[in-house]
Amino acid sequence: MSTSAPAPHLDVATPERVALTLPVAGIGYRCLAWLVDASLLFAVWVALYFIVTLLLTDVLGALQALSGVGQTLLALGLFATQWLYWTLAEVFFHGQTVGKRVLGIRVVRMDGSPVGVFESAVRNICRVLDFLPVLYATGCITMLLTRQHRRLGDLLAGTVLVREEAINLDAYTTPAAERPAPSAAERPLSTEEVELVLAFLSRARNLEPGVRKRLGTRLVDRVGAHLSDAERDAVLRSADATETFLRVRARAGH
């Protein structure tokens, strides 16, 4: 009986020594994300074109009247604008452009940490090479030949695209109605609970604020049943207070 090949993934270890497996984004995810971003950029350029036509009666004539240096600078400016879009979005929005966000994928370093300015700048300037000879042919061939679907820019920058995984705490938390009454004693955590808390802490900074608060609250309810109402309110007052409490509980559970 034949067995299917395992899906591409990225194995990383958090500072708390918790092993995580992140699913790698395939070519389909990447192409769709690129189409979303390219459509957005195209819409912006079309809007700018119509704005310019309000100021110049003959835009094409004005472009043709530019000298060779002027046309070269214009082409470089168009590329630089797109390069800045991809780079700044990935750096300031946790590895996600609009297209990557829609598709639920993000760029990370090979150790799973958030991508930095250098890595994002390198992988995006290499789009010129990945695009050759047309329509990202080089990039697609490279992705097909590498185990984790990395294009040339990813190989040079040390990055990979992973799919976001939703942590379904409903499978781990006890419904409120069945939750045991708070106890004055602080019970030790199970190994599963410790790993669950540490996995959350390792990803908390990359989560949306609302998701971060919701998951943190559910974990506090799970591992902080001994807290009084006042203590619980204090723990949930801020993300830092919540994660500090969870970190202390996880350490105590070792």
Side-chain angles (χ1 to χ4, degrees), residues 16-29:
E16 295 85 0
R17 298 180 181 179
V18 175
L20 294 177
T21 297
L22 307 176
V24 169
I27 295 178
Y29 280 91

Side-chain angles (χ1 to χ4, degrees), residues 10 15 59 67 95 97 155 208:
L10 177 68
V59 178
S67 63
T97 60
L155 295 173
E208 293 294 328

